[in-house]
Amino acid sequence: IFTSSPSTSFTSMPFQWGNLNAAQKLTLNASDGLGEARVSYLRGTRTNENSLFRKREDTLLGDIVNSGITYLSGSGQIYSGSNFPGHAAYRTTNKTRPAVVYVGANDGMLHAFSGTDGKELFGYIPGSVFANLPALTALNFEHRFFVDSTPMVGDIQKSASTWGSVLVGGLGAGGKGYYALDITSQNTFATATEATLSTLPMWEFTSAQDADLGFTFNEPALDSVYGNNVQIAKVADST
């Protein structure tokens, strides 16, 4: 499980008490000073359920309401022609890429599950939902939304002929922001360490950067011919 902090300069880190910055710790300490125990609870420890924090149901997974399932395996989308040099080779490299299912949930996380055996590969807590995490632990908990929008995946051109894959997601009613993860190394997720996985976040764009940004209800639209997500597109790069 990993998270990010988009406050001043964007950083990401494992969701472990010792790795969090001062502002994140202050948020999780809330008014009771139970920040470290709260992190353990959110990571799945059930010791303090029904005493310090609310009791969860049989499963630790939060409810999935408005987020659709995004499935990625194998070569992925096709970008053909002279405008996409190197993409054919990238698709060949990924012919055996293992399947992963991505979905947002109202436990504060984007989840990645193995498309083969259902094992959870990672959970990502966008920094823009961080302030609401203490509410998840409250004994008088009232349901609220967190990562409640369908993630999109697509390939990106990193350099003249170098490609990668990216996941972009919104928060739905859970907040005013988008986040991006570099999922190029999807074939390593099953064996990667938490520290390695915590390097996947690329950026977050929230209402802190643009006060006009509202709640991010995004519905992926697919190209009817190639199946590409039309919101993720190659654009001119002046650099």
Side-chain angles (χ1 to χ4, degrees), residues 87-112:
H87 190 253
Y90 181 69
R91 293 189 75 249
T92 298
T93 299
N94 283 315
K95 284 179 67 175
T96 59
R97 177 166 52 183
V100 174
V101 173
Y102 299 97
V103 64
N106 293 309
D107 51 16
M109 302 183 198
L110 167 83
H111 294 276

Side-chain angles (χ1 to χ4, degrees), residues 1-238:
I1 301 173
F2 52 96
T3 187
S4 57
S5 176
S7 52
T8 50
S9 58
F10 181 80
T11 55
S12 57
M13 66 287 290
F15 187 62
Q16 301 269 11
W17 182 252
N19 294 103
L20 303 180
N21 60 41
Q24 291 171 319
K25 290 181 177 179
L26 182 63
T27 296
L28 291 175
N29 270 324
S31 60
D32 53 23
L34 295 172
E36 188 167 3
R38 186 166 278 113
V39 168
S40 294
Y41 172 94
L42 293 170
R43 289 182 60 86
T45 300
R46 312 200 74 153
T47 306
N48 293 313
E49 286 190 9
N50 216 25
S51 55
L52 297 178
F53 309 124
R54 71 178 174 91
K55 187 180 187 319
R56 290 171 286 202
E57 302 301 328
D58 293 336
T59 176
L60 295 173
L61 180 66
D63 57 285
I64 299 169
V65 179
N66 295 307
S67 174
I69 299 293
T70 298
Y71 175 91
L72 178 63
S73 71
S75 298
Q77 300 120 320
I78 298 174
Y79 296 110
S80 60
S82 59
N83 288 330
F84 305 100
H87 190 253
Y90 181 69
R91 293 189 75 249
T92 298
T93 299
N94 283 315
K95 284 179 67 175
T96 59
R97 177 166 52 183
V100 174
V101 173
Y102 299 97
V103 64
N106 293 309
D107 51 16
M109 302 183 198
L110 167 83
H111 294 276
F113 299 98
S114 166
T116 303
D117 59 16
K119 177 183 177 182
E120 182 162 16
L121 303 173
F122 67 73
Y124 169 59
I125 303 173
S128 45
V129 305
F130 215 88
N132 294 325
L133 290 180
L136 274 174
T137 70
L139 289 168
N140 60 345
F141 172 74
E142 294 183 6
H143 183 270
R144 64 192 308 163
F145 296 105
F146 281 83
V147 185
D148 198 46
S149 190
T150 304
M152 301 172 287
V153 296
D155 292 342
I156 57 171
Q157 191 171 8
K158 294 184 171 183
S159 65
S161 59
T162 302
W163 287 78
S165 298
V166 65
L167 177 148
V168 177
L171 304 175
K176 301 176 180 181
Y178 287 101
Y179 59 89
L181 302 181
D182 186 337
I183 57 171
T184 305
S185 59
Q186 179 171 294
N187 63 318
T188 70
F189 289 171
T191 57
T193 65
E194 191 170 56
T196 298
L197 290 168
S198 71
T199 66
L200 298 182
M202 299 170 65
W203 50 258
E204 285 191 56
F205 185 82
T206 73
S207 55
Q209 286 77 47
D210 184 349
D212 291 330
L213 180 65
F215 292 95
T216 47
F217 295 91
N218 64 305
E219 291 294 334
L222 299 179
D223 181 287
S224 59
V225 177
Y226 297 109
N228 302 328
N229 286 308
V230 298
Q231 290 100 328
I232 301 177
K234 179 177 179 178
V235 297
D237 186 348
S238 59

